[in-house]
Amino acid sequence: MPAVLISEVGPRDGLQSVKATMATAHKCAWITALHAAGLREIEVGSFVPAALLPQLADTAEVVRHARLLPGLTVLALVPNRRGAEAALQAGVHKLTVPVSASEAHSMANVRRTRAQMVEALRAIDALRREIAPQVGLEVGVSTAFGCTLQGAVPEDEVIALAEQLAAAGADEIGLSDTTGMANPAQVKRLFTRLRGAIGDQAGAAHLHNTRGLGLANCLAAYEVGVRAFDASQGGLGGCPYAPGASGNVVTEDLVFMFEAMGVPTGVDLPRLIAAREALRAGLPDEPIHGMTPEAGLPLGFQSAR
Ligand code: ZN
């Protein structure tokens, strides 16, 4: 049994950040390869107007493909009720809603205040309870560790927002280092406070490697009890609305860290590394990162069990 959940966000967070559009057939082949490697939660796209994110305009089709993969939780990002309606129609298993802890980032990203986003979340929850109560609803609190537009984000505000979101109907609330500003001490402090405030509704860690602290921050979160982690194959992606930010935590490196520590992830590393070929085939001109794939697995490496 996996001791941690690795949630692959490359097909959404990654693909929305690159200029090139991956063809639908390539997306489906990549997701199939990720699933074959043992990943059991994949964020496959987002339901936003195609004019804003043409790279993800085919998300409904990708969802229909991903739903055929056994045991896979198919996740899609939705910014509002209209997006949620389309996602539920397409048949996702789980919705994820981004809500910024920074008011400046919220306005830049979705042109809504934080308070308006809490209301949007309430509307999304009402909709899923009405038409698809089995579907999960999570929130990723973006810019929870700092914002490139406003600088520091007060921790009290992050926790107060998480409490409002929990009350507004989210099943889980995670914290995202959208801009790559987090450090391990801060990660420990904030996730500990999050659990203290909302208990089991405390959700995943979405951490970036912008300043090289991605894995250190994941480990810090693990040490204070976080068991769900977002990561992106090849480190693809970042946030297009956060100037200078790039670099999700590399799934391959994160899986290697946990497996080498004896913490089972359910992911087969050689097959995960092989899945990079499917990514490369769909995005031949994009740089693909990862230190474990570059170095190879150490002699005698064994998966955790
Ligand atoms: Zn990210």
Side-chain angles (χ1 to χ4, degrees):
M1 271 298 282
V4 290
L5 173 72
I6 308 292
S7 184
E8 171 63 44
V9 301
R12 196 281 301 168
D13 193 335
L15 292 184
Q16 81 168 36
S17 312
V18 298
K19 278 203 187 79
T21 298
M22 192 188 275
T24 309
H26 279 298
K27 288 185 190 178
C28 293
W30 181 30
I31 289 166
T32 299
L34 292 166
H35 172 264
L39 287 158
R40 286 299 174 264
E41 184 170 290
I42 302 179
E43 197 171 317
V44 302
S46 70
F47 287 88
V48 298
L52 289 180
L53 274 182
Q55 302 97 315
L56 303 181
D58 59 355
T59 296
E61 212 177 326
V62 176
V63 167
R64 282 194 287 276
H65 167 78
R67 273 173 52 88
L68 303 174
L69 301 170
L72 181 67
T73 299
V74 179
L75 196 62
L77 182 143
V78 299
N80 51 35
R81 191 181 187 279
R82 182 183 297 186
E85 214 165 348
L88 294 175
Q89 229 160 52
V92 302
H93 301 126
K94 201 167 166 185
L95 303 166
T96 180
V97 182
V99 179
S100 289
S102 146
E103 194 82 346
H105 182 265
S106 190
M107 292 306 293
N109 201 15
V110 290
R111 298 192 200 96
R112 299 269 185 287
T113 64
R114 287 173 295 189
Q116 285 173 319
M117 284 307 293
V118 172
E119 283 320 301
L121 195 265
R122 207 185 300 280
I124 292 168
D125 178 47
L127 176 73
R128 67 117 180 202
R129 280 179 199 282
E130 186 190 320
I131 64 175
Q134 75 286 358
V135 168
L137 176 57
E138 66 165 46
V139 172
V141 176
S142 45
T143 62
F145 300 90
C147 172
T148 41
L149 303 171
Q150 84 170 44
V153 177
E155 292 181 5
D156 288 349
E157 289 185 24
V158 176
I159 299 303
L161 179 63
E163 285 171 334
Q164 290 169 28
L165 292 163
D171 303 334
E172 291 164 52
I173 295 120
L175 301 178
S176 303
D177 184 21
T178 317
T179 56
M181 292 163 78
N183 66 71
Q186 183 188 20
V187 165
K188 282 191 176 179
R189 206 165 54 233
L190 212 49
F191 272 102
T192 301
R193 283 192 65 181
L194 182 70
R195 180 161 294 276
I198 61 171
D200 288 342
Q201 280 170 283
H206 179 108
L207 300 165
H208 281 196
N209 199 37
T210 313
R211 291 178 174 80
L213 296 185
L215 287 184
N217 287 335
C218 286
L219 182 59
Y222 177 78
E223 285 178 349
V224 295
V226 175
R227 292 295 178 266
F229 297 84
D230 290 356
S232 178
Q233 176 146 63
L236 201 67
C239 177
Y241 304 103
S246 68
N248 284 300
V249 165
V250 176
T251 312
E252 298 89 317
D253 293 339
L254 183 64
V255 168
F256 173 70
M257 180 183 81
F258 281 129
E259 294 287 334
M261 286 170 62
V263 176
T265 62
V267 180
D268 181 279
L269 254 180
R271 293 182 89 167
L272 180 63
I273 290 170
R276 290 161 69 91
E277 292 312 315
L279 167 56
R280 229 176 243 124
L283 278 183
D285 299 326
E286 211 53 46
I288 295 171
H289 307 283
M291 302 187 85
T292 301
E294 291 289 329
L297 295 177
L299 181 64
F301 173 79
Q302 284 194 329
S303 297
R305 59 190 83 230

